[in-house]
Amino acid sequence: MLKRTTETLRGIGHRFINRIWRLGTAARFFWRILRRSTDKPMRLIKLTVHEMYATGVLSLVIILVSALFVGMVLGLQGYNTLQRYGSADAVGVLVALSLVRELGPVVTALLFAGRAGTAITAEIGLMKTTEQLSAMEMMAVNPIARVIAPRFWAGVISMPLLAAMFSMVGVLGGYLVAVPLLGIDAGSFWSQMQTSVDFRVDIVNGVIKSFVFGVACTIIALFEGYDAPPTAEGVSRATTRTVVNSSLAVLGLDFALTSFMISV
Amino acid sequence: MDRTTMDLWVGLFVAAGIVALIGLAMKVGNLTSDHLGDTYTVSAHFDDIGGLKPRAPIKSAGVVVGRVDSIQFDSKRYDAVVKLKIDKSYKFPKDTFASINTSGLLGEQYVTLEAGGDTEMLEEDGKGKIEHTQPALVLEKLIGQFVSSKAEGDSSTPQNTMEDAQ
Amino acid sequence: MTDNIVEINNLSFGYGHRHLHKGVNMKFPRGKVVAIMGGSGSGKTTLLRLIGGQLRPTHGEVKVDGKVVHKQDRAGIYALRRKMGMLFQFGALFTDLSVYDNVAFPMREHTNLPESMIRDLVLMKLNAVGLRGACNLMPSELSGGMSRRIALARAIALDPAIIMYDEPFAGLDPISMGVIVNLIRNLNDVLGATSIVVTHDIHETFSFVDYVYFVADGVVAAEGTPDELRASKLPFVHQFVHGDVDGPVPFHYNAPDYRQDLMRATRA
């Protein structure tokens, strides 16, 4: 009995230490990316643009389609609830505030982790497995500067842009449901929205959120790939971990950021 | 894929993102209506501001003419002093009456200005002061009055109170 | 300056408590093709990584061109690596770049040559390995032998003084193997480079190298020219050259007594 308890405790302790260790390694990894980002600025910009095609442009379709549907559902649900209290006109406010404050940054980040994050992890993991990163190092080219940093900046730049597009398209989706379908006046839809959505408190904070999510999701995806055991199984596990860890990080950070933003 | 096509796509992506951001700021947010241009500040004392917040709109005849700048407690008069930022293109007479209203039953609170008949206008150098104000109607107080008057057995007063409230 | 471009002096290295090398001494003279041979898991590839400065020895040192590798800072190691070319086991071509861009990669990273000159150089290197016609293909479209030749073209892109080959024959058909053998020998002589070939392919290797080191149990078990080793009476060399199953290199990995092990399993 005692032996089993010690064993369990040791297991917990081992896992805990492992987690902390990985967190520390990830933090060092982040620091190395930042430091290596100054190596060859012109090359970095060129490569970042190149990577933004993979992280940004290729994520567009899923982001925009999801945004349209999320906006339309918000419009329908919001209208149904609000009209009971006789304030169906406020449906625009509801749609816009939910999107700009929460759903835009959060859902975009979750979709990004699934679409671009997994692709990054698998790519880096495979480059490691096939010794491409080692080969680069042997050619006196730093893989952090050449491979990791451009993907990092591409993710960090893409995320706020994607989130802004998500919110905008979502609002348009809400508009499509509310105005032509449910017959709410277009003027009051927009004007109520404008009086209630504050530029600094809502929009800027939303952008800040998506920026933070961009850093978190990209770092997690890159780190899991870079840290993956160089086997097929290792890479597939790393890809799963990217989705799980990114989602948890996004939701956790969202709570932290929201509580901070509300209290300030 | 060709290098130049890729660059083009990324360029389009960034442009679309920036357009979306500007669209959010202008069309969804209040960046346009927020720009009141030049403003002047006047202060007003209220016995009770209810749930009024900084940046709440100031309306006159339903038109937004400014925003609440700050709200502070006046420790000499034991009431709230509210600084109002009003667009320079709107002038108000000295005996303007300010009240705090609620949009809808539970909506956001805002300040309403009703112009008086004075020929002199409020100073625009920051010293302007609105003398006549009406505090916010607080729902709990109204209910409290209603309950207490009901307890006294007076059946006509509560109805009046409720009518006043509306 | 000594005549040995790479020297390994009393080198020890291990991962954690597992000691892979216990005092290895090797010399690689300029202009020669030297093979490092040994069974799987005897730490041959690790030796290449130690020469390239990707790993740090626990004891001893590796000298490249007279400089101790692990005492260099990052810039120093990178400067040494510029003199090295390495062919990885399966080529390690960059899968997101075309054959042309793969070979051009080291030139673009380390030189400021105009694109027209890079083009000439890339085509020259590809011609040397006989694959100029493949320059627009992607690595996924290449066979194993072809991708290794492309990787070789990339390894010699900057005319290195040392070319290292990690298992260049693994998984190749006899024809491709013959092609690679010829390339290693010819490139070495044409470029005036020194080649280090890590392999366990005894017959192919003995046909073209100048000198052989046998690694076993973390030390150099035997060394000499191919002819000397063929004539060697050392049991280990004999086993390796003739491919006997059991001998000084045991068939079994270190394990407790077989019978006791089975008994324990039944008891548990």
Side-chain angles (χ1 to χ4, degrees), chain B residues 94-141:
Chain B
K94 274 210 146 162
D95 60 347
T96 294
F97 176 73
S99 58
I100 296 175
N101 296 51
T102 309
S103 54
L105 192 59
L106 301 164
E108 206 184 23
Q109 292 194 302
Y110 61 94
V111 177
T112 302
L113 297 182
E114 283 167 56
D118 208 319
T119 46
E120 268 187 81
M121 295 292 155
L122 281 167
E123 295 100 322
E124 295 184 13
D125 53 2
K127 286 180 196 152
K129 209 176 233 176
I130 294 174
E131 301 293 347
H132 310 288
T133 63
Q134 186 195 2
L137 290 173
V138 180
L139 205 60
E140 292 94 316
K141 275 190 186 169

Coordinates of all heavy atoms in Angstrom, one line a residue, chain B residues 94-141:
Chain B
K94 N -26.6 79.1 -20.8 CA -26.1 78.9 -19.4 C -27.1 78.2 -18.6 O -26.7 77.5 -17.7 CB -25.8 80.3 -18.8 CG -24.4 80.8 -19.1 CD -24.0 81.7 -18.0 CE -22.5 81.6 -17.8 NZ -21.9 82.6 -17.0
D95 N -28.3 78.3 -18.8 CA -29.3 77.6 -17.9 C -29.7 76.3 -18.5 O -30.8 75.8 -18.3 CB -30.5 78.5 -17.7 CG -31.2 78.9 -19.0 OD1 -30.6 78.6 -20.1 OD2 -32.4 79.3 -19.0
T96 N -28.8 75.6 -19.2 CA -29.1 74.3 -19.7 C -29.3 73.3 -18.6 O -28.7 73.4 -17.6 CB -27.9 73.8 -20.6 OG1 -27.9 74.7 -21.7 CG2 -28.1 72.4 -21.1
F97 N -30.2 72.4 -18.8 CA -30.6 71.4 -17.8 C -30.1 70.1 -18.2 O -30.3 69.6 -19.3 CB -32.2 71.4 -17.7 CG -32.7 70.4 -16.8 CD1 -32.6 70.6 -15.4 CD2 -33.3 69.2 -17.2 CE1 -33.1 69.6 -14.5 CE2 -33.8 68.3 -16.4 CZ -33.7 68.5 -15.0
A98 N -29.3 69.4 -17.3 CA -28.7 68.1 -17.6 C -29.4 67.0 -16.7 O -29.6 67.2 -15.5 CB -27.2 68.2 -17.3
S99 N -29.7 65.9 -17.3 CA -30.2 64.8 -16.6 C -29.6 63.5 -17.0 O -29.0 63.4 -18.1 CB -31.7 64.7 -16.7 OG -32.0 64.6 -18.1
I100 N -29.7 62.5 -16.2 CA -29.1 61.2 -16.6 C -30.3 60.3 -16.9 O -31.2 60.1 -16.0 CB -28.2 60.6 -15.4 CG1 -27.0 61.5 -15.2 CG2 -27.8 59.2 -15.8 CD1 -26.1 61.2 -14.1
N101 N -30.3 59.7 -18.0 CA -31.4 58.8 -18.5 C -30.8 57.4 -18.8 O -29.6 57.2 -19.0 CB -32.0 59.4 -19.7 CG -32.7 60.7 -19.4 OD1 -32.1 61.6 -18.8 ND2 -34.0 60.8 -19.8
T102 N -31.8 56.6 -19.0 CA -31.4 55.2 -19.3 C -32.1 54.8 -20.7 O -33.2 55.1 -20.8 CB -31.9 54.2 -18.3 OG1 -31.5 54.7 -17.0 CG2 -31.4 52.8 -18.5
S103 N -31.3 54.3 -21.6 CA -31.9 53.8 -22.8 C -32.5 52.5 -22.6 O -31.9 51.5 -22.3 CB -30.9 53.8 -23.9 OG -29.8 53.0 -23.6
G104 N -33.9 52.4 -22.7 CA -34.6 51.2 -22.4 C -34.6 51.0 -20.9 O -34.2 51.8 -20.1
L105 N -35.2 49.9 -20.5 CA -35.4 49.7 -19.0 C -34.0 49.3 -18.4 O -33.7 49.8 -17.3 CB -36.3 48.5 -18.9 CG -36.8 48.3 -17.4 CD1 -37.6 49.6 -17.0 CD2 -37.8 47.1 -17.4
L106 N -33.2 48.6 -19.0 CA -31.9 48.1 -18.4 C -30.7 48.6 -19.2 O -29.6 48.1 -19.0 CB -31.9 46.6 -18.3 CG -33.1 46.0 -17.5 CD1 -33.2 44.5 -17.8 CD2 -32.9 46.3 -16.0
G107 N -30.9 49.5 -20.2 CA -29.8 49.8 -21.1 C -28.8 50.7 -20.5 O -28.7 50.9 -19.3
E108 N -27.9 51.2 -21.4 CA -26.8 52.0 -21.0 C -27.3 53.4 -20.5 O -28.3 53.9 -21.1 CB -25.9 52.2 -22.2 CG -24.4 52.5 -21.7 CD -23.6 52.7 -23.0 OE1 -24.1 53.1 -24.0 OE2 -22.4 52.5 -22.8
Q109 N -26.6 54.0 -19.6 CA -27.0 55.4 -19.2 C -26.3 56.5 -20.0 O -25.2 56.3 -20.4 CB -26.8 55.5 -17.7 CG -27.7 54.5 -16.9 CD -27.8 54.8 -15.5 OE1 -26.8 54.8 -14.8 NE2 -29.0 55.1 -15.0
Y110 N -27.0 57.5 -20.2 CA -26.4 58.6 -20.9 C -26.9 60.0 -20.3 O -27.8 60.0 -19.5 CB -26.7 58.5 -22.4 CG -28.2 58.6 -22.7 CD1 -28.8 59.8 -23.1 CD2 -29.0 57.4 -22.7 CE1 -30.2 59.8 -23.4 CE2 -30.3 57.5 -23.0 CZ -30.9 58.7 -23.3 OH -32.3 58.7 -23.6
V111 N -26.2 61.0 -20.7 CA -26.6 62.4 -20.2 C -27.4 63.1 -21.3 O -27.1 63.1 -22.5 CB -25.3 63.2 -19.9 CG1 -25.7 64.6 -19.4 CG2 -24.5 62.4 -18.9
T112 N -28.5 63.7 -20.8 CA -29.3 64.5 -21.7 C -29.2 65.9 -21.4 O -29.3 66.3 -20.2 CB -30.8 64.0 -21.6 OG1 -30.9 62.7 -21.9 CG2 -31.7 64.8 -22.6
L113 N -29.0 66.7 -22.4 CA -29.0 68.2 -22.2 C -30.2 68.8 -22.8 O -30.6 68.5 -23.9 CB -27.7 68.8 -22.9 CG -26.4 68.3 -22.4 CD1 -25.3 69.1 -23.1 CD2 -26.2 68.6 -20.9
E114 N -30.9 69.7 -22.0 CA -32.0 70.4 -22.5 C -31.7 71.9 -22.4 O -31.5 72.4 -21.3 CB -33.3 70.1 -21.7 CG -33.9 68.7 -22.1 CD -34.9 68.2 -21.1 OE1 -35.9 69.0 -20.9 OE2 -34.7 67.1 -20.5
A115 N -31.8 72.5 -23.5 CA -31.4 73.9 -23.6 C -32.5 74.8 -22.9 O -33.7 74.5 -22.9 CB -31.2 74.4 -25.0
G116 N -32.0 75.8 -22.2 CA -32.9 76.8 -21.5 C -33.1 78.0 -22.4 O -32.9 77.9 -23.6
G117 N -33.5 79.1 -21.8 CA -33.8 80.3 -22.6 C -32.7 81.4 -22.4 O -32.9 82.5 -23.0
D118 N -31.7 81.1 -21.7 CA -30.7 82.2 -21.5 C -30.0 82.7 -22.8 O -29.8 81.9 -23.7 CB -29.6 81.6 -20.5 CG -29.0 82.7 -19.7 OD1 -28.7 83.8 -20.3 OD2 -28.8 82.5 -18.5
T119 N -29.7 83.9 -22.8 CA -29.0 84.4 -24.0 C -27.5 84.2 -24.0 O -26.9 84.1 -25.0 CB -29.3 85.9 -24.2 OG1 -29.1 86.6 -23.0 CG2 -30.7 86.2 -24.8
E120 N -27.0 84.1 -22.7 CA -25.6 83.9 -22.6 C -25.3 82.4 -22.7 O -26.1 81.6 -22.2 CB -25.1 84.4 -21.2 CG -24.6 85.8 -21.2 CD -24.0 86.2 -19.9 OE1 -22.9 85.8 -19.6 OE2 -24.7 86.7 -19.0
M121 N -24.2 82.1 -23.4 CA -23.8 80.7 -23.6 C -22.9 80.2 -22.5 O -22.2 81.0 -21.9 CB -23.2 80.6 -25.0 CG -24.1 80.9 -26.1 SD -25.4 79.6 -26.2 CE -26.7 80.5 -27.0
L122 N -22.7 78.9 -22.4 CA -21.8 78.3 -21.5 C -20.3 78.6 -21.9 O -20.0 78.6 -23.1 CB -21.9 76.8 -21.5 CG -23.1 76.2 -20.7 CD1 -23.3 74.8 -21.0 CD2 -22.8 76.4 -19.2
E123 N -19.4 79.0 -21.0 CA -18.1 79.3 -21.3 C -17.4 78.1 -22.0 O -17.6 76.9 -21.5 CB -17.3 79.7 -20.1 CG -17.7 81.0 -19.5 CD -18.6 80.8 -18.3 OE1 -19.4 79.8 -18.3 OE2 -18.4 81.5 -17.3
E124 N -16.5 78.3 -22.9 CA -15.9 77.2 -23.6 C -14.4 77.1 -23.1 O -13.6 76.3 -23.7 CB -15.9 77.4 -25.1 CG -17.3 77.3 -25.6 CD -17.4 77.4 -27.1 OE1 -16.3 77.3 -27.8 OE2 -18.5 77.6 -27.6
D125 N -14.1 77.8 -22.0 CA -12.7 77.7 -21.6 C -12.5 76.7 -20.5 O -11.5 76.7 -19.8 CB -12.2 79.1 -21.1 CG -13.2 79.7 -20.0 OD1 -14.1 79.0 -19.7 OD2 -12.9 80.8 -19.6
G126 N -13.4 75.8 -20.3 CA -13.3 74.8 -19.3 C -13.9 75.2 -18.0 O -14.0 74.3 -17.1
K127 N -14.4 76.5 -17.8 CA -14.9 76.9 -16.5 C -16.5 76.8 -16.5 O -17.1 77.0 -15.5 CB -14.5 78.3 -16.2 CG -13.1 78.4 -15.8 CD -12.7 79.9 -15.5 CE -11.2 80.1 -15.5 NZ -10.9 81.5 -15.9
G128 N -17.0 76.4 -17.7 CA -18.5 76.4 -17.8 C -19.1 75.4 -16.8 O -18.5 74.3 -16.6
K129 N -20.2 75.8 -16.3 CA -20.8 74.9 -15.2 C -22.3 74.8 -15.5 O -23.0 75.9 -15.7 CB -20.5 75.5 -13.9 CG -20.4 74.5 -12.8 CD -20.1 75.2 -11.5 CE -18.9 74.5 -10.8 NZ -18.4 75.3 -9.6
I130 N -22.8 73.6 -15.5 CA -24.3 73.5 -15.6 C -24.9 73.4 -14.2 O -24.4 72.6 -13.4 CB -24.6 72.2 -16.4 CG1 -24.1 72.3 -17.9 CG2 -26.1 71.9 -16.4 CD1 -24.2 71.1 -18.7
E131 N -25.8 74.3 -14.0 CA -26.3 74.5 -12.6 C -27.5 73.5 -12.3 O -27.6 73.0 -11.2 CB -26.7 75.9 -12.3 CG -25.6 76.9 -12.5 CD -24.5 76.8 -11.4 OE1 -24.7 76.1 -10.4 OE2 -23.4 77.4 -11.6
H132 N -28.3 73.4 -13.3 CA -29.5 72.6 -13.1 C -29.4 71.2 -13.5 O -29.1 70.9 -14.7 CB -30.7 73.2 -13.8 CG -30.8 74.7 -13.6 ND1 -31.2 75.2 -12.4 CD2 -30.5 75.8 -14.4 CE1 -31.2 76.5 -12.5 NE2 -30.7 76.9 -13.7
T133 N -29.4 70.3 -12.6 CA -29.3 68.8 -13.0 C -30.3 68.0 -12.3 O -30.9 68.4 -11.3 CB -27.9 68.3 -12.5 OG1 -27.8 68.4 -11.1 CG2 -26.7 69.1 -13.2
Q134 N -30.5 66.9 -12.8 CA -31.4 65.9 -12.2 C -30.7 64.6 -12.1 O -30.1 64.1 -13.1 CB -32.7 65.7 -13.1 CG -33.7 64.8 -12.4 CD -34.7 64.3 -13.4 OE1 -34.7 64.6 -14.6 NE2 -35.7 63.6 -12.9
P135 N -30.7 64.0 -10.9 CA -29.9 62.7 -10.7 C -30.5 61.6 -11.5 O -31.6 61.6 -11.9 CB -29.9 62.5 -9.2 CG -31.2 63.2 -8.7 CD -31.3 64.4 -9.6
A136 N -29.7 60.5 -11.6 CA -30.2 59.3 -12.3 C -31.3 58.7 -11.5 O -31.4 58.8 -10.2 CB -29.1 58.3 -12.4
L137 N -32.2 58.1 -12.2 CA -33.3 57.3 -11.5 C -32.8 56.0 -11.2 O -32.3 55.2 -12.1 CB -34.5 57.2 -12.4 CG -35.3 58.5 -12.7 CD1 -36.3 58.3 -13.7 CD2 -35.9 59.0 -11.4
V138 N -32.7 55.6 -9.9 CA -32.2 54.3 -9.5 C -33.3 53.4 -9.3 O -34.2 53.7 -8.5 CB -31.3 54.4 -8.3 CG1 -30.7 53.1 -7.9 CG2 -30.1 55.4 -8.6
L139 N -33.3 52.3 -9.9 CA -34.5 51.4 -9.9 C -34.8 50.9 -8.5 O -36.0 50.9 -8.1 CB -34.1 50.1 -10.8 CG -35.4 49.4 -11.3 CD1 -36.2 50.3 -12.2 CD2 -34.9 48.2 -12.1
E140 N -33.7 50.6 -7.7 CA -34.0 50.1 -6.3 C -34.7 51.2 -5.5 O -35.6 50.9 -4.7 CB -32.6 49.8 -5.7 CG -31.9 48.6 -6.2 CD -30.9 49.0 -7.3 OE1 -31.2 49.9 -8.1 OE2 -29.8 48.5 -7.2
K141 N -34.3 52.4 -5.7 CA -35.0 53.5 -5.0 C -36.4 53.6 -5.3 O -37.3 53.8 -4.4 CB -34.3 54.8 -5.3 CG -33.0 55.1 -4.5 CD -32.6 56.5 -4.7 CE -31.3 56.8 -4.0 NZ -30.7 58.0 -4.4

